Amino acid sequence: MCGIIGYCGHRPAVPLVVEGLRRLEYRGYDSAGVSFVQSGALHVLRAPGKLAGLEKKLEDENVFSATTGMGHTRWATHGAPVEKNAHPHRDHEGKLALIHNGIIENYQEIKAELCAEGCEFRSDTDSEVLVNLIAKGMKLHGGDVMQALSWALGRVEGAYAIVLMSMDHPGTLWATRVASPLVMGIGTGENFFGSDIPAFLPYTRDVVFLEDGELVRITSGSWEVFNTATLAPIAKEVQHINWDVQAAEKGGHKHFMIKEIFEQPKVIRDCLLGRIDGGGVRLAELDGVPVPERLHIVACGTSYHAGLWGMYLIEKLAGIPVQVEIASEFRYRDPILPKGGLVLAISQSGETMDTLAGIKLAKQRGLPVLGLCNVVGSSVSRESDHVLYTQAGPEISVASTKAMCSQLTALLLLALYWGGKKGTLPAADCARMVTDLAAMPDVLDDALPGLRREAQKLARHYAGATSFLYLGRGMNFPLALEGALKLKEISYIHAEGYASGEMKHGPIALIDPDFPTFAIALDDELFPKVKSNLVEVQARAGEIIGLTNEGLDLAVEHRWNVPRAAGPLSAFVTLPALQLFAYEMADYLGKDVDQPRNLAKSVTVE
Ligand code: M6R
């Protein structure tokens, strides 16, 4: 998500911080800002857009005497990407400045409390609420920054990595994290904070990886780590890393795609932030929006596959009829869009031209549009009447992975939310699914390394294939389509996704010993049906990879057991398995995984 750098040392801090922000550009951003204390005053400079905007502003400033500073590149989650929402944020008295990556879930309650006490806000962000809460803590604790931080952070819920500076302590920075990345760089006569190692890599390779609930104080010559809640000191180990800049950007992974696949547990957690409450689902974005009588989902590529998956779920749990449309078809049809319906436009980038054209058509026909997208302030979010953000952070690899995981999470939330509102989903069922969904990130964290090892083995065996058939039934059919798309786009191996029951109506003619099938055959009510479809493949000497669960009676050439997950939640395991198989195939074949030929990340043309 956002890029963070903090510096205490002997060099001019502002140029160093800006240079660090430049190295964090790969995280994507919509605005940037720096702060520093100079001549006894706390300065904050911010600009919307790319870093160049901030650099232009800095040209007119004398910023060379400060040797402590911090900077931020924003990837918006709350509030539009405009200057007032850019970081750093100051408290209303202008004595503290804060940079923040993450989401404070209960910021609205805290904001109301602070407003009632006379605090004035200049932005729409949760971050400005947090810095004002810390300022309140300072008043309550006699100006002690550590006590104030401990008190304030004890009151907030959510995920964050923050760095704080104070006008009264010009040579010190404080930082802490919960569920958002933050590392400390240890130099000689200088210390650093970064959301990622590239922020400070030219200056030091000695790093301390911070854990949740740790609070750090640095000066040019010291660093100390404490427990945020108790302020008891914590001993930490300094690690020396040998990564080059490119490896550091990818968190030590070879490609952004694999990094993003491994980010999926966090993506689920982040998408759920502020949206599940006890056993229920709370979608403040949909307050006042009536439950639609019909839903028309419009999307392209991977987002379209997510929409198809959503159709099964929303129809089943919420009893709402759903039609899923490829945006480039929808826009040139004469679709029947009766009143009472809602168009759901799904797009990671929010800039896909066909999806935008679909939104325009829906609006011309008088239907409201709900945008489900990742990029805050994107065209889809601006053109839609309501927006639900997936909160997945920037996706850099052209092949979409974590974005789909976040879309599935959001679609499941929508199904539960509407099912609850309509009364089609008993509260106890909803509570069970919410609990299982909240547990899914831990399940995935455990499963991903093993899934990758299996994918590596299979990739070596199947790398010579020139064509693949992907089969799935029910909710696994859209996943079969997605598995085939992933393999095609990054390994350039032809692949077809098919509904297993439909295979006998044509594709079965292709089956021979050189045409392997990747089948999703999980423990669900359709397993016996899928199994008989696979027997048809075997009868024609086709080899099968069977993605299945332990204990199921399935005899195939390559059995790939994955952890069992309840009902629709199996998608959160199946999806990374499919992604990892495609990734390992492409990597083994030496393809340009992150930037496959002929493809663009945002398709802004017809
Ligand atoms: O940004 P969007 O979700 O609107 O993008 C839609 C497709 O262009 C995108 O999913 C594309 O299919 C990816 N390359 C899939 O990996």
Side-chain angles (χ1 to χ4, degrees):
M1 296 236 206
C2 308
I4 282 180
I5 174 166
Y7 176 74
C8 286
H10 47 81
R11 305 171 204 257
V14 176
L16 182 147
V17 160
V18 171
E19 189 202 318
L21 293 180
R22 169 85 54 225
R23 282 190 299 278
L24 295 177
E25 260 185 319
Y26 65 92
R27 292 178 76 97
Y29 55 79
D30 53 58
S31 55
V34 291
S35 69
F36 51 97
V37 178
Q38 200 165 266
S39 314
L42 178 62
H43 298 264
V44 171
L45 277 123
R46 307 177 297 186
K50 300 220 171 221
L51 195 55
L54 177 67
E55 286 175 310
K56 182 106 201 61
K57 267 195 166 174
L58 284 166
E59 274 172 14
D60 305 329
E61 305 284 328
N62 175 4
V63 294
F64 291 98
S65 57
T67 54
T68 295
M70 62 186 194
H72 185 272
T73 54
R74 179 168 185 253
W75 172 267
T77 53
H78 285 96
V82 292
E83 181 169 340
K84 70 169 183 175
N85 291 331
H87 296 222
H89 287 282
R90 268 183 283 212
D91 71 299
H92 75 296
E93 289 182 353
K95 291 186 173 170
L96 298 175
L98 177 107
I99 52 180
H100 168 216
N101 173 15
I103 298 167
I104 304 298
E105 290 183 62
N106 56 340
Y107 81 104
Q108 272 158 328
E109 293 148 51
I110 299 173
K111 188 170 184 174
E113 171 192 313
L114 294 172
C115 281
E117 291 166 7
C119 180
E120 282 172 15
F121 290 88
R122 308 172 191 103
S123 79
D124 310 319
T125 64
D126 49 346
S127 316
E128 192 189 7
V129 175
L130 180 55
V131 70
N132 277 292
L133 187 67
I134 298 167
K136 176 175 171 176
M138 298 269 289
K139 293 214 168 91
L140 294 174
H141 292 90
D144 185 318
V145 181
M146 297 285 288
Q147 296 277 358
L149 275 164
S150 178
W151 172 82
L153 295 167
R155 296 204 49 204
V156 301
E157 289 159 22
Y160 50 81
I162 60 167
V163 183
L164 180 82
M165 76 188 305
S166 157
M167 189 174 85
D168 298 331
H169 303 84
T172 306
L173 290 178
W174 297 261
T176 183
R177 59 157 278 181
V178 169
S180 272
L182 189 66
V183 280
M184 180 163 53
I186 311 297
T188 307
E190 55 189 353
N191 291 309
F192 305 79
F193 290 124
S195 49
D196 305 68
I197 291 171
F200 50 71
L201 199 58
Y203 302 99
T204 182
R205 285 170 180 276
D206 289 334
V207 304
V208 174
F209 292 96
L210 298 170
E211 302 299 333
D212 286 357
E214 291 179 345
L215 173 62
V216 195
R217 178 171 58 200
I218 62 169
T219 63
S220 59
S222 69
W223 59 271
E224 295 157 285
V225 183
F226 305 89
N227 177 299
T228 310
T230 63
L231 296 183
I234 297 176
K236 297 288 289 184
E237 200 185 318
V238 179
Q239 298 184 29
H240 188 77
I241 50 113
N242 293 314
W243 301 347
D244 60 18
V245 172
Q246 275 201 338
E249 286 178 351
K250 293 167 194 152
H253 292 288
K254 189 170 175 188
H255 298 104
F256 282 111
M257 182 177 173
I258 189 73
K259 174 175 182 257
E260 287 162 3
I261 291 173
F262 272 78
E263 278 171 5
Q264 289 176 114
K266 174 165 164 46
V267 158
I268 302 172
R269 283 189 195 104
D270 287 351
C271 187
L272 296 182
L273 278 175
R275 291 173 172 162
I276 52 176
D277 189 5
V281 173
R282 188 177 60 190
L283 294 177
E285 299 86 338
L286 296 190
D287 279 354
V289 181
V291 179
E293 287 165 29
R294 266 170 306 280
L295 192 67
H296 306 270
I297 300 182
V298 178
C300 301
T302 293
S303 297
Y304 167 73
H305 296 153
L308 272 180
W309 184 86
M311 172 184 77
Y312 285 82
L313 201 65
I314 292 168
E315 289 194 334
K316 187 168 174 169
L317 301 185
I320 299 171
V322 183
Q323 234 178 332
V324 191
E325 310 257 7
I326 294 172
S328 55
E329 290 295 312
F330 178 79
R331 65 180 292 192
Y332 290 117
R333 282 205 299 115
D334 193 3
I336 297 170
L337 304 173
K339 292 246 162 313
L342 175 74
V343 168
L344 174 65
I346 308 180
S347 174
Q348 184 286 130
S349 61
E351 300 299 343
T352 301
M353 167 158 305
D354 287 322
T355 308
L356 283 164
I359 294 178
K360 204 163 158 199
L361 177 63
K363 289 175 90 175
Q364 276 164 5
R365 301 283 175 92
L367 239 63
V369 177
L370 169 64
L372 176 61
C373 66
N374 192 29
V375 180
V376 176
S378 59
S379 305
V380 167
S381 73
R382 292 197 309 272
E383 298 292 322
S384 301
D385 301 290
H386 315 279
V387 193
L388 190 64
Y389 287 114
T390 50
Q391 302 179 172
E395 189 178 64
I396 295 167
S397 164
V398 167
S400 186
T401 55
K402 67 173 185 173
M404 182 166 179
C405 175
S406 68
Q407 290 163 348
L408 300 188
T409 311
L411 285 162
L412 178 50
L413 288 178
L414 271 175
L416 296 173
Y417 176 80
W418 280 327
K421 289 241 159 212
K422 270 188 77 178
T424 49
L425 180 68
D429 292 1
C430 178
R432 196 173 21 80
M433 281 186 149
V434 166
T435 309
D436 290 346
L437 181 57
M440 193 42 75
D442 291 341
V443 173
L444 257 193
D445 268 328
D446 288 347
L448 280 168
L451 291 178
R452 184 173 187 191
R453 279 193 296 277
E454 193 59 35
Q456 274 165 345
K457 258 198 312 203
L458 290 169
R460 273 150 192 66
H461 183 83
Y462 284 104
T466 52
S467 222
F468 248 95
L469 183 62
Y470 279 72
L471 296 180
R473 253 186 128 126
M475 295 198 74
N476 292 323
F477 166 49
L479 295 169
L481 293 177
E482 176 62 10
L485 175 64
K486 284 286 95 72
L487 189 70
K488 274 190 272 229
E489 65 179 332
I490 59 168
S491 74
Y492 317 146
I493 294 171
H494 170 255
E496 287 293 328
Y498 244 82
S500 356
E502 184 68 5
M503 187 204 41
K504 56 186 169 297
H505 297 285
I508 198 165
L510 294 167
I511 305 289
D512 69 22
D514 298 322
F515 186 32
T517 295
F518 191 124
I520 307 171
L522 301 175
D523 192 0
D524 58 26
E525 67 282 5
L526 291 173
F527 174 73
K529 308 275 174 203
V530 176
K531 193 177 157 188
S532 23
N533 298 140
L534 297 184
V535 170
E536 292 160 9
V537 174
Q538 287 170 321
R540 280 133 194 110
E543 266 195 35
I544 298 174
I545 299 174
L547 194 81
T548 188
N549 301 119
E550 206 172 312
L552 282 183
D553 176 20
L554 184 75
V556 289
E557 282 65 30
H558 290 101
R559 192 186 167 111
W560 186 353
N561 284 342
V562 294
R564 263 193 179 71
L569 295 175
S570 65
F572 294 99
V573 181
T574 306
L575 181 65
L578 295 164
Q579 295 164 343
L580 284 163
F581 178 65
Y583 172 79
E584 293 299 343
M585 288 281 267
D587 186 38
Y588 187 67
L589 293 168
K591 305 296 185 209
D592 187 352
V593 172
D594 282 335
Q595 281 169 337
R597 69 187 181 201
N598 309 337
L599 291 177
K601 185 67 187 157
S602 295
V603 185
T604 54
V605 291
E606 271 210 67

